[in-house]
Amino acid sequence: AAAAAAAGPGARTGQARGKMPIPGVKHIVLVSSAKGGVGKSTTAVNLALGLRRVKPSLQVGLLDADVFGPSVPRLMNLTGSPTVNERNQIQPMVNFNIKCMSMGFLVNADDAMVWRGLMVMSAVEKLVRGVSWGPLDILVVDMPPGTGDTQLSISQLVPISGAVIVTTPQDIALIDARRGVTMYNKVSVPVLGIVQNMSHYVCPNCQHVSHVFGEGGAARLAQELGLECLGDIPLTQSIRELSDAGKPVVVSQPDGPEAQAYLRLAESVLAKLPEKTDEFG
């Protein structure tokens, strides 16, 4: 199945066609970070779920574009292999009313993807164009860390409504977040703003607030770059435990403070998206 995902038109073909929309998809939002380990995938999953909770009429999809380290199957509690429809397109897996696609559905969980750049770009194009996504209002894309082949491929393949940059407040993460913003500016992808993940820790016993990774770093970076800080997500045990269990906090504890932080993020992202009145197709 993994070989099939890497087959078909290569990245050069995609570039020749230009930025062709995905049929039936109105908006594509990239959730990105130039550094791993900042909670980007957990943010992407809860953003997708939060968008539907903020506006239940929305049809939302989630694409796991991290070929080498797919996390969406575990986070969304999805197992098994997708089917193929009569048009030879892959049918997304669905949970919590979110259409999902990931390389993790096409390979064994313990397999290591040892692929060169061209194979990665071809696989990404298959996940973007070879999946029956529509109709969707918003496709959230969980991007791999870094500023490499996948980021370039997706930005050249399809029109992007905007990118959300996830970082922690610490200086070493902010350096890479700045690089991520610079990269998207270079490829003409609008940056909707910055999310400060793991912004603070609240002791469950005494309620003392600790800024483990520093305080306000993302807000300062956003101001410096002329962007908005879209939200602060706390560092909590419940987010980690529920994510590992495939029960995202937005659906498992929708009234809790953690879920409310993701809902505020979803509201901010919705407010940043340009209006599109065209019908699905």
Side-chain angles (χ1 to χ4, degrees):
R12 292 180 183 176
T13 306
Q15 291 172 20
R17 284 200 303 266
K19 293 187 178 184
M20 296 291 292
I22 302 174
V25 177
K26 287 186 177 181
H27 290 288
I28 299 174
V29 174
L30 309 182
V31 179
S32 185
S33 68
K35 175 175 283 299
V38 297
K40 169 188 54 59
S41 295
T42 300
T43 301
V45 164
N46 283 286
L47 171 60
L49 293 164
L51 290 167
R52 267 194 59 86
R53 186 165 175 82
V54 166
K55 192 173 181 181
S57 63
L58 288 177
Q59 299 183 71
V60 181
L62 178 62
L63 168 59
D64 186 351
D66 193 343
V67 172
F68 296 112
S71 300
V72 164
R74 177 70 174 268
L75 291 167
M76 290 293 286
N77 196 25
L78 285 166
T79 58
S81 300
T83 59
V84 178
N85 64 21
E86 66 280 359
R87 299 187 304 278
N88 202 33
Q89 287 186 309
I90 301 171
Q91 291 292 122
M93 308 281 279
V94 180
N95 197 13
F96 309 121
N97 294 310
I98 303 291
K99 294 180 180 179
C100 301
M101 190 60 213
S102 169
M103 184 59 69
F105 300 141
L106 305 177
V107 299
N108 294 325
D110 295 331
D111 284 351
M113 306 301 294
V114 186
W115 284 358
R116 294 186 183 275
L118 286 175
M119 294 183 70
V120 173
M121 290 187 284
S122 185
V124 168
E125 182 168 1
K126 185 69 174 179
L127 293 175
V128 171
R129 297 207 181 277
V131 175
S132 181
W133 284 114
L136 288 179
D137 292 289
I138 303 173
L139 177 61
V140 176
V141 183
D142 178 19
M143 299 291 286
T147 56
D149 290 333
T150 300
Q151 287 80 2
L152 184 61
S153 294
I154 288 183
S155 66
Q156 292 175 334
L157 276 173
V158 290
I160 307 298
S161 295
V164 173
I165 307 297
V166 181
T167 185
T168 57
Q170 66 195 102
D171 290 345
I172 198 69
L174 295 171
I175 291 170
D176 289 324
R178 182 190 298 273
R179 292 192 183 108
V181 172
T182 300
M183 177 200 66
Y184 285 117
N185 287 338
K186 286 184 176 180
V187 295
S188 301
V189 170
V191 177
L192 302 180
I194 298 176
V195 178
Q196 183 166 256
N197 198 28
M198 309 182 202
S199 63
H200 61 277
Y201 173 75
V202 180
C203 176
N205 297 317
C206 67
Q207 306 305 308
H208 175 71
V209 176
S210 298
H211 297 277
V212 180
F213 297 109
E215 184 176 0
R220 289 192 296 273
L221 178 63
Q223 184 177 21
E224 182 180 337
L225 298 177
L227 298 171
E228 181 179 337
C229 188
L230 299 172
D232 287 335
I233 310 298
L235 173 64
T236 69
Q237 186 172 341
S238 61
I239 291 178
R240 195 272 301 167
E241 289 179 341
L242 292 169
S243 296
D244 285 349
K247 301 174 181 178
V249 69
V250 166
V251 293
S252 296
Q253 298 179 355
D255 298 322
E258 297 91 345
Q260 293 303 308
Y262 285 118
L263 295 183
R264 289 191 292 272
L265 169 61
E267 290 172 343
S268 297
V269 170
L270 275 177
K272 291 282 186 178
L273 293 179
E275 288 289 335
K276 286 194 177 182
T277 58
D278 52 307
E279 297 295 324
F280 296 121

